[in-house]
């Protein structure tokens, strides 16, 4: 499944999603970066470098916030070495997993009484953000800023946010971006008290269904160590990887 055209589409999808966290506009200088201003590295960083001479300038632009440099196969081959020469340190390698959106979907067992619904109003959006923020270990002081950015993304027409709801409380989340022919799945999180009970499976199945409804040909995600086994059960296959770098002070 690892055709060059598919890789191009998957990473274009991922870049669009990550860049959507940025609140500043940057020049077209061969560096795809985003800065939300939020004090968490997930929301600031670089996702592709086409101009090696820009490394120093980009580091200065991102001073003052924690951030990551995402190095995938859409970056030049020497990017990782270039970052190391500038003091970068690899902090993680995360598999990029892909599957066709043809049926079957995969396992769907879940809590009795659980439903997965689309987030359509401000109150539910705040609950969604609060659930994945807590699961990510991000402090409550960032809640308002995260909600504001989510609600104002320029590409919200491409995005479907899904909440797993049990007894009228959001207990799990995922965000799907349908763009470039790919259903990119992000922010699959389940509240600690409801893990290992089928909530993640229900969310993943619902996201795949939305991708099919939107006419996408493939689904893709960046898997955490905790989630990789579940995604394999859904037919996802690790095809590429992102290497995450930071720059210690």
């Amino acid at each position: 499944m690892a055709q060059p055209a598919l890789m191009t589409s998957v990473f274009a999808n991922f870049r669009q999603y990550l860049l959507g966290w940025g609140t500043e506009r940057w020049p077209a200088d061969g560096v795809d970066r985003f800065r939300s201003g939020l004090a968490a590295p997930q929301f600031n960083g670089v996702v592709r470098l086409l101009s090696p001479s820009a490394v120093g300038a980009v580091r200065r632009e991102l001073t003052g916030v924690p951030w990551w440099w995402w190095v995938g196969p859409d970056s030049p081959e020497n990017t990782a070495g270039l970052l190391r020469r500038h003091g970068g340190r690899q902090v993680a390698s995360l598999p990029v997993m892909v599957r066709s959106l043809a049926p079957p979907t995969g396992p769907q067992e879940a809590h009795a009484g659980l439903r997965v619904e689309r987030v359509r109003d401000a109150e539910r959006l705040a609950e969604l953000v609060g659930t994945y923020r807590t699961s990510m270990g991000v402090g409550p002081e960032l809640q308002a800023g995260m909600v504001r950015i989510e609600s104002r993304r320029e590409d919200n027409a491409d995005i479907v946010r899904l909440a797993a709801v049990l007894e009228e409380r959001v207990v799990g989340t995922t965000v799907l971006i349908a763009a470039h022919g790919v259903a990119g799945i992000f922010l699959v999180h389940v509240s600690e008290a409801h893990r290992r009970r089928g909530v993640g499976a229900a969310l993943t199945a619902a996201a795949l269904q939305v991708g099919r409804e939107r006419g996408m040909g493939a689904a893709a995600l960046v898997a955490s160590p905790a989630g990789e086994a579940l995604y394999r059960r859904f037919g996802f296959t690790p095809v590429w990887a992102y290497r995450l770098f930071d720059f210690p002070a």
Side-chain angles (χ1 to χ4, degrees):
M1 208 173 169
Q3 310 99 314
L6 178 61
M7 187 196 78
T8 298
S9 297
V10 166
F11 285 91
N13 178 289
F14 288 178
R15 287 196 304 273
Q16 179 177 324
Y17 178 75
L18 289 169
L19 293 170
W21 280 100
T23 59
E24 301 181 36
R25 295 191 178 276
W26 305 102
D29 57 1
V31 184
D32 293 326
R33 73 273 208 192
F34 60 105
R35 177 176 174 138
S36 69
L38 300 170
Q42 296 91 334
F43 309 120
N44 310 282
V46 179
V47 290
R48 187 172 58 162
L49 172 76
L50 299 179
S51 175
S53 63
V55 173
V58 171
R59 290 182 62 189
R60 290 190 293 273
E61 290 169 352
L62 292 171
T63 297
V65 293
W67 61 283
W68 287 328
W69 199 305
W70 299 69
V71 180
D74 56 337
S75 294
E77 286 187 14
N78 65 342
T79 300
L82 177 66
L83 298 183
R84 290 189 180 98
R85 289 194 295 275
H86 280 264
R89 173 187 64 179
Q90 183 172 322
V91 295
S93 178
L94 300 174
V96 174
M97 305 183 75
V98 180
R99 62 153 285 176
S100 166
L101 275 174
T105 295
Q108 298 189 48
E109 72 277 5
H111 280 285
L114 182 80
R115 69 179 188 273
V116 177
E117 63 181 40
R118 299 191 186 194
V119 172
R120 303 183 188 276
D121 60 55
E123 181 178 356
R124 202 54 120 190
L125 177 61
E127 290 184 77
L128 180 98
V129 170
T131 300
Y132 76 66
R133 175 190 58 73
T134 301
S135 177
M136 292 167 74
V138 174
E141 68 279 4
L142 299 189
Q143 171 84 8
M146 293 167 69
V147 171
R148 182 177 64 254
I149 294 170
E150 285 270 25
S151 66
R152 297 179 181 177
R153 286 182 64 110
E154 293 183 357
D155 60 352
N156 265 332
D158 295 333
I159 289 178
V160 176
R161 299 177 177 88
L162 298 171
V165 179
L166 185 67
E167 297 177 352
E168 299 310 313
R169 294 181 54 206
V170 175
V171 299
T173 70
T174 191
V175 174
L176 178 137
I177 179 167
H180 306 281
V182 173
I185 300 173
F186 297 87
L187 296 174
V188 181
H189 286 277
V190 178
S191 62
E192 187 172 1
H194 295 88
R195 291 173 186 166
R196 302 186 184 280
R197 301 185 188 181
V199 179
L203 286 161
T204 304
L208 292 173
Q209 182 58 34
V210 171
R212 281 192 289 272
E213 292 170 1
R214 291 281 181 117
M216 303 296 104
L221 51 82
V222 180
S224 67
E228 184 172 351
L230 169 65
Y231 303 133
R232 286 181 182 274
R233 289 168 57 204
F234 273 91
F236 282 91
T237 301
V239 181
W240 305 289
Y242 264 124
R243 287 177 287 172
L244 269 57
F245 283 77
D246 70 3
F247 289 83

